[in-house]
Amino acid sequence: MQVRATVSASEMQEAARLSRPRRFWLRFFAANWYATALCVIALGAGINALIHHEQVKWDVMGMLLAIGGGFIGFSWYRWNAALAKAAQNASARSGTLSLDADGVRTQLASGTSTFLPWSTYSKWTEGTSVFLLTGNDGATVVPIDDGNRDAIRSLLTSNIS
């Protein structure tokens, strides 16, 4: 079964969302520890002032939260920009993607072809616009077009446990 191999930026973002580990957000905020610590300290100081019936310095607390939120937002923007660039690079060299009875065949625009048997994939996940096949050799993103969702789902169900 032939499917299109080009993946848009939104499809790549959905594939990244599907492949996130369970503790993604914990790791994301830990990687941005300086901004997270700034926000937690500002919120802690505000809560402490409220508990002890003291005057809360809303302007300082708001500025610290805005700075911390800005750093976290910038990091999130960079992460999404990296995904969009990866999608653009992948679509520039993509060719055809074929789901066969024995595995996944990919032929790039340069003429290079690759084959991965179904046994290399350990699981698959269905999103709204992509199927994500994961295994020991990495991940494969299979875009969903109108009308082929059920056929791809049945093929994946029968070949990947």
Side-chain angles (χ1 to χ4, degrees):
M1 164 188 324
Q2 291 278 74
V3 295
R4 75 179 158 86
T6 57
V7 179
S8 67
S10 63
E11 291 172 338
M12 183 63 86
Q13 286 178 344
E14 182 180 2
R17 183 181 51 80
L18 291 172
S19 67
R20 283 182 192 157
R22 248 184 35 215
R23 295 186 177 110
F24 171 79
W25 290 109
L26 178 66
R27 290 178 183 170
F28 179 78
F29 287 116
N32 296 301
W33 64 269
Y34 48 92
T36 304
L38 188 66
C39 290
V40 167
I41 289 171
L43 287 173
I47 291 170
N48 186 39
L50 287 175
I51 289 173
H52 290 47
H53 304 290
E54 297 173 356
Q55 180 68 25
V56 178
K57 298 179 181 177
W58 294 106
D59 54 343
V60 174
M61 190 170 81
M63 185 173 41
L64 288 176
L65 288 174
I67 291 170
F71 281 129
I72 290 172
F74 180 68
S75 179
W76 181 251
Y77 168 77
R78 285 186 46 194
W79 188 78
N80 283 324
L83 284 177
K85 186 173 180 166
Q88 182 182 17
N89 290 340
S91 66
R93 64 177 189 266
S94 66
T96 60
L97 182 69
S98 177
L99 303 174
D100 297 330
D102 54 348
V104 178
R105 290 184 188 345
T106 307
Q107 182 149 1
L108 301 178
S110 64
T112 307
S113 64
T114 60
F115 171 74
L116 289 172
W118 292 118
S119 60
T120 60
Y121 297 110
S122 58
K123 70 175 192 164
W124 61 275
T125 310
E126 181 177 358
T128 56
S129 62
V130 295
F131 282 101
L132 181 68
L133 313 175
T134 54
N136 297 336
D137 294 335
T140 301
V141 179
V142 179
I144 301 171
D145 291 327
D146 295 332
N148 69 355
R149 178 184 296 269
D150 293 330
I152 294 174
R153 186 185 303 126
S154 65
L155 182 67
L156 295 177
T157 302
S158 64
N159 291 311
I160 299 174
S161 54

